mmCIF file of all heavy atoms in Angstrom:
data_model
loop_
_atom_site.group_PDB
_atom_site.id
_atom_site.type_symbol
_atom_site.label_atom_id
_atom_site.label_comp_id
_atom_site.label_asym_id
_atom_site.label_seq_id
_atom_site.Cartn_x
_atom_site.Cartn_y
_atom_site.Cartn_z
ATOM 1 N N VAL A 1 29.505 -19.011 36.061
ATOM 2 C CA VAL A 1 30.384 -19.359 37.171
ATOM 3 C C VAL A 1 29.530 -19.968 38.278
ATOM 4 O O VAL A 1 28.609 -19.325 38.788
ATOM 5 C CB VAL A 1 31.131 -18.115 37.690
ATOM 6 C CG1 VAL A 1 32.036 -18.501 38.867
ATOM 7 C CG2 VAL A 1 31.955 -17.483 36.575
ATOM 8 N N LEU A 2 29.847 -21.204 38.652
ATOM 9 C CA LEU A 2 29.013 -21.961 39.583
ATOM 10 C C LEU A 2 29.844 -22.424 40.772
ATOM 11 O O LEU A 2 30.848 -23.119 40.596
ATOM 12 C CB LEU A 2 28.415 -23.184 38.877
ATOM 13 C CG LEU A 2 27.720 -22.933 37.532
ATOM 14 C CD1 LEU A 2 27.384 -24.260 36.857
ATOM 15 C CD2 LEU A 2 26.461 -22.110 37.725
ATOM 16 N N ASP A 3 29.437 -22.042 41.970
ATOM 17 C CA ASP A 3 30.143 -22.435 43.187
ATOM 18 C C ASP A 3 29.313 -23.497 43.900
ATOM 19 O O ASP A 3 28.245 -23.207 44.430
ATOM 20 C CB ASP A 3 30.343 -21.210 44.083
ATOM 21 C CG ASP A 3 31.280 -21.477 45.252
ATOM 22 O OD1 ASP A 3 31.941 -22.535 45.242
ATOM 23 O OD2 ASP A 3 31.344 -20.645 46.161
ATOM 24 N N GLU A 4 29.788 -24.740 43.882
ATOM 25 C CA GLU A 4 29.061 -25.877 44.470
ATOM 26 C C GLU A 4 27.611 -25.911 43.971
ATOM 27 O O GLU A 4 26.664 -25.882 44.755
ATOM 28 C CB GLU A 4 29.095 -25.800 45.998
ATOM 29 C CG GLU A 4 30.481 -25.854 46.600
ATOM 30 C CD GLU A 4 31.139 -27.215 46.455
ATOM 31 O OE1 GLU A 4 30.438 -28.204 46.193
ATOM 32 O OE2 GLU A 4 32.376 -27.277 46.592
ATOM 33 N N PRO A 5 27.400 -25.999 42.657
ATOM 34 C CA PRO A 5 26.059 -25.823 42.104
ATOM 35 C C PRO A 5 25.037 -26.887 42.475
ATOM 36 O O PRO A 5 23.842 -26.605 42.527
ATOM 37 C CB PRO A 5 26.301 -25.818 40.586
ATOM 38 C CG PRO A 5 27.562 -26.600 40.414
ATOM 39 C CD PRO A 5 28.402 -26.246 41.607
ATOM 40 N N THR A 6 25.486 -28.128 42.733
ATOM 41 C CA THR A 6 24.519 -29.197 42.982
ATOM 42 C C THR A 6 24.399 -29.560 44.458
ATOM 43 O O THR A 6 23.814 -30.581 44.799
ATOM 44 C CB THR A 6 24.880 -30.454 42.176
ATOM 45 O OG1 THR A 6 26.197 -30.880 42.528
ATOM 46 C CG2 THR A 6 24.825 -30.178 40.681
ATOM 47 N N ALA A 7 24.963 -28.731 45.331
ATOM 48 C CA ALA A 7 24.783 -28.959 46.768
ATOM 49 C C ALA A 7 23.299 -28.943 47.088
ATOM 50 O O ALA A 7 22.548 -28.103 46.602
ATOM 51 C CB ALA A 7 25.505 -27.873 47.563
ATOM 52 N N ALA A 8 22.850 -29.893 47.894
ATOM 53 C CA ALA A 8 21.461 -30.039 48.336
ATOM 54 C C ALA A 8 20.535 -30.599 47.258
ATOM 55 O O ALA A 8 19.347 -30.772 47.502
ATOM 56 C CB ALA A 8 20.893 -28.705 48.851
ATOM 57 N N MET A 9 21.063 -30.916 46.073
ATOM 58 C CA MET A 9 20.230 -31.532 45.039
ATOM 59 C C MET A 9 20.264 -33.048 45.189
ATOM 60 O O MET A 9 21.309 -33.617 45.514
ATOM 61 C CB MET A 9 20.725 -31.152 43.641
ATOM 62 C CG MET A 9 20.525 -29.712 43.259
ATOM 63 S SD MET A 9 21.013 -29.441 41.521
ATOM 64 C CE MET A 9 20.834 -27.661 41.401
ATOM 65 N N ASP A 10 19.132 -33.697 44.910
ATOM 66 C CA ASP A 10 19.130 -35.159 44.922
ATOM 67 C C ASP A 10 19.739 -35.680 43.620
ATOM 68 O O ASP A 10 20.046 -34.913 42.699
ATOM 69 C CB ASP A 10 17.722 -35.701 45.151
ATOM 70 C CG ASP A 10 16.721 -35.255 44.085
ATOM 71 O OD1 ASP A 10 17.114 -35.108 42.898
ATOM 72 O OD2 ASP A 10 15.542 -35.036 44.429
ATOM 73 N N VAL A 11 19.917 -36.983 43.536
ATOM 74 C CA VAL A 11 20.633 -37.579 42.405
ATOM 75 C C VAL A 11 19.935 -37.279 41.085
ATOM 76 O O VAL A 11 20.579 -36.908 40.099
ATOM 77 C CB VAL A 11 20.769 -39.102 42.604
ATOM 78 C CG1 VAL A 11 21.361 -39.745 41.361
ATOM 79 C CG2 VAL A 11 21.629 -39.410 43.821
ATOM 80 N N GLU A 12 18.624 -37.415 41.048
ATOM 81 C CA GLU A 12 17.886 -37.194 39.812
ATOM 82 C C GLU A 12 17.987 -35.742 39.356
ATOM 83 O O GLU A 12 18.162 -35.452 38.174
ATOM 84 C CB GLU A 12 16.419 -37.590 39.996
ATOM 85 C CG GLU A 12 15.596 -37.484 38.728
ATOM 86 C CD GLU A 12 14.163 -37.963 38.918
ATOM 87 O OE1 GLU A 12 13.858 -38.505 40.000
ATOM 88 O OE2 GLU A 12 13.364 -37.789 37.993
ATOM 89 N N THR A 13 17.879 -34.810 40.308
ATOM 90 C CA THR A 13 17.961 -33.397 39.973
ATOM 91 C C THR A 13 19.359 -33.030 39.506
ATOM 92 O O THR A 13 19.538 -32.234 38.574
ATOM 93 C CB THR A 13 17.569 -32.526 41.179
ATOM 94 O OG1 THR A 13 16.261 -32.908 41.626
ATOM 95 C CG2 THR A 13 17.540 -31.055 40.809
ATOM 96 N N ARG A 14 20.382 -33.617 40.130
ATOM 97 C CA ARG A 14 21.754 -33.369 39.691
ATOM 98 C C ARG A 14 21.954 -33.842 38.264
ATOM 99 O O ARG A 14 22.598 -33.155 37.449
ATOM 100 C CB ARG A 14 22.743 -34.092 40.622
ATOM 101 C CG ARG A 14 22.926 -33.440 41.969
ATOM 102 C CD ARG A 14 23.701 -34.326 42.918
ATOM 103 N NE ARG A 14 25.041 -34.622 42.448
ATOM 104 C CZ ARG A 14 25.846 -35.519 43.012
ATOM 105 N NH1 ARG A 14 25.431 -36.225 44.050
ATOM 106 N NH2 ARG A 14 27.058 -35.721 42.546
ATOM 107 N N ARG A 15 21.400 -34.989 37.933
ATOM 108 C CA ARG A 15 21.532 -35.504 36.571
ATOM 109 C C ARG A 15 20.863 -34.557 35.575
ATOM 110 O O ARG A 15 21.416 -34.242 34.511
ATOM 111 C CB ARG A 15 20.923 -36.901 36.474
ATOM 112 C CG ARG A 15 21.136 -37.559 35.124
ATOM 113 C CD ARG A 15 20.513 -38.935 35.070
ATOM 114 N NE ARG A 15 21.161 -39.856 35.998
ATOM 115 C CZ ARG A 15 20.566 -40.392 37.046
ATOM 116 N NH1 ARG A 15 19.299 -40.103 37.326
ATOM 117 N NH2 ARG A 15 21.213 -41.222 37.825
ATOM 118 N N GLY A 16 19.679 -34.078 35.930
ATOM 119 C CA GLY A 16 18.978 -33.131 35.069
ATOM 120 C C GLY A 16 19.725 -31.816 34.933
ATOM 121 O O GLY A 16 19.748 -31.197 33.864
ATOM 122 N N PHE A 17 20.343 -31.383 36.031
ATOM 123 C CA PHE A 17 21.113 -30.147 36.010
ATOM 124 C C PHE A 17 22.244 -30.226 34.994
ATOM 125 O O PHE A 17 22.415 -29.337 34.145
ATOM 126 C CB PHE A 17 21.672 -29.879 37.414
ATOM 127 C CG PHE A 17 22.689 -28.771 37.463
ATOM 128 C CD1 PHE A 17 22.281 -27.456 37.615
ATOM 129 C CD2 PHE A 17 24.045 -29.045 37.362
ATOM 130 C CE1 PHE A 17 23.215 -26.434 37.656
ATOM 131 C CE2 PHE A 17 24.981 -28.028 37.412
ATOM 132 C CZ PHE A 17 24.567 -26.713 37.555
ATOM 133 N N TRP A 18 23.030 -31.310 35.046
ATOM 134 C CA TRP A 18 24.176 -31.402 34.144
ATOM 135 C C TRP A 18 23.754 -31.654 32.710
ATOM 136 O O TRP A 18 24.454 -31.239 31.768
ATOM 137 C CB TRP A 18 25.157 -32.462 34.641
ATOM 138 C CG TRP A 18 25.925 -31.977 35.828
ATOM 139 C CD1 TRP A 18 25.873 -32.440 37.108
ATOM 140 C CD2 TRP A 18 26.847 -30.879 35.854
ATOM 141 N NE1 TRP A 18 26.693 -31.704 37.925
ATOM 142 C CE2 TRP A 18 27.305 -30.743 37.192
ATOM 143 C CE3 TRP A 18 27.319 -29.998 34.881
ATOM 144 C CZ2 TRP A 18 28.224 -29.759 37.559
ATOM 145 C CZ3 TRP A 18 28.244 -29.019 35.255
ATOM 146 C CH2 TRP A 18 28.670 -28.915 36.577
ATOM 147 N N HIS A 19 22.620 -32.280 32.522
ATOM 148 C CA HIS A 19 22.087 -32.414 31.162
ATOM 149 C C HIS A 19 21.768 -31.030 30.598
ATOM 150 O O HIS A 19 22.060 -30.739 29.432
ATOM 151 C CB HIS A 19 20.835 -33.292 31.168
ATOM 152 C CG HIS A 19 20.209 -33.451 29.812
ATOM 153 N ND1 HIS A 19 20.776 -34.204 28.812
ATOM 154 C CD2 HIS A 19 19.060 -32.927 29.283
ATOM 155 C CE1 HIS A 19 20.022 -34.155 27.739
ATOM 156 N NE2 HIS A 19 18.975 -33.390 27.988
ATOM 157 N N ALA A 20 21.194 -30.172 31.418
ATOM 158 C CA ALA A 20 20.903 -28.805 30.989
ATOM 159 C C ALA A 20 22.185 -28.042 30.684
ATOM 160 O O ALA A 20 22.247 -27.254 29.735
ATOM 161 C CB ALA A 20 20.093 -28.076 32.059
ATOM 162 N N MET A 21 23.227 -28.277 31.474
ATOM 163 C CA MET A 21 24.496 -27.583 31.248
ATOM 164 C C MET A 21 25.155 -28.023 29.941
ATOM 165 O O MET A 21 25.852 -27.244 29.294
ATOM 166 C CB MET A 21 25.441 -27.822 32.424
ATOM 167 C CG MET A 21 24.994 -27.152 33.726
ATOM 168 S SD MET A 21 24.787 -25.344 33.608
ATOM 169 C CE MET A 21 23.011 -25.227 33.277
ATOM 170 N N GLU A 22 24.923 -29.263 29.524
ATOM 171 C CA GLU A 22 25.435 -29.713 28.232
ATOM 172 C C GLU A 22 24.833 -28.869 27.114
ATOM 173 O O GLU A 22 25.531 -28.460 26.180
ATOM 174 C CB GLU A 22 25.108 -31.188 28.013
ATOM 175 C CG GLU A 22 25.921 -32.148 28.860
ATOM 176 C CD GLU A 22 25.516 -33.587 28.635
ATOM 177 O OE1 GLU A 22 24.705 -33.838 27.705
ATOM 178 O OE2 GLU A 22 25.981 -34.460 29.372
ATOM 179 N N GLY A 23 23.551 -28.602 27.217
ATOM 180 C CA GLY A 23 22.894 -27.744 26.226
ATOM 181 C C GLY A 23 23.457 -26.336 26.242
ATOM 182 O O GLY A 23 23.565 -25.676 25.205
ATOM 183 N N PHE A 24 23.841 -25.857 27.411
ATOM 184 C CA PHE A 24 24.395 -24.516 27.553
ATOM 185 C C PHE A 24 25.730 -24.404 26.810
ATOM 186 O O PHE A 24 25.958 -23.465 26.048
ATOM 187 C CB PHE A 24 24.575 -24.213 29.045
ATOM 188 C CG PHE A 24 24.981 -22.802 29.360
ATOM 189 C CD1 PHE A 24 24.055 -21.783 29.384
ATOM 190 C CD2 PHE A 24 26.299 -22.502 29.653
ATOM 191 C CE1 PHE A 24 24.426 -20.483 29.681
ATOM 192 C CE2 PHE A 24 26.692 -21.214 29.955
ATOM 193 C CZ PHE A 24 25.752 -20.194 29.962
ATOM 194 N N THR A 25 26.624 -25.384 26.999
ATOM 195 C CA THR A 25 27.931 -25.325 26.338
ATOM 196 C C THR A 25 27.824 -25.625 24.842
ATOM 197 O O THR A 25 28.664 -25.165 24.065
ATOM 198 C CB THR A 25 28.915 -26.308 26.987
ATOM 199 O OG1 THR A 25 28.347 -27.625 27.018
ATOM 200 C CG2 THR A 25 29.237 -25.873 28.404
ATOM 201 N N GLU A 26 26.827 -26.376 24.431
ATOM 202 C CA GLU A 26 26.645 -26.639 23.007
ATOM 203 C C GLU A 26 26.352 -25.360 22.227
ATOM 204 O O GLU A 26 26.552 -25.304 21.017
ATOM 205 C CB GLU A 26 25.511 -27.650 22.800
ATOM 206 C CG GLU A 26 25.921 -29.085 23.144
ATOM 207 C CD GLU A 26 24.743 -30.041 23.130
ATOM 208 O OE1 GLU A 26 23.602 -29.576 22.871
ATOM 209 O OE2 GLU A 26 24.953 -31.242 23.371
#
């Protein structure tokens, strides 16, 4: 459960974050 998870992250870090989340749901 994530509440505003990418707040304060820059664009590159946000992209990396969601890439990691894809692995989580897989």
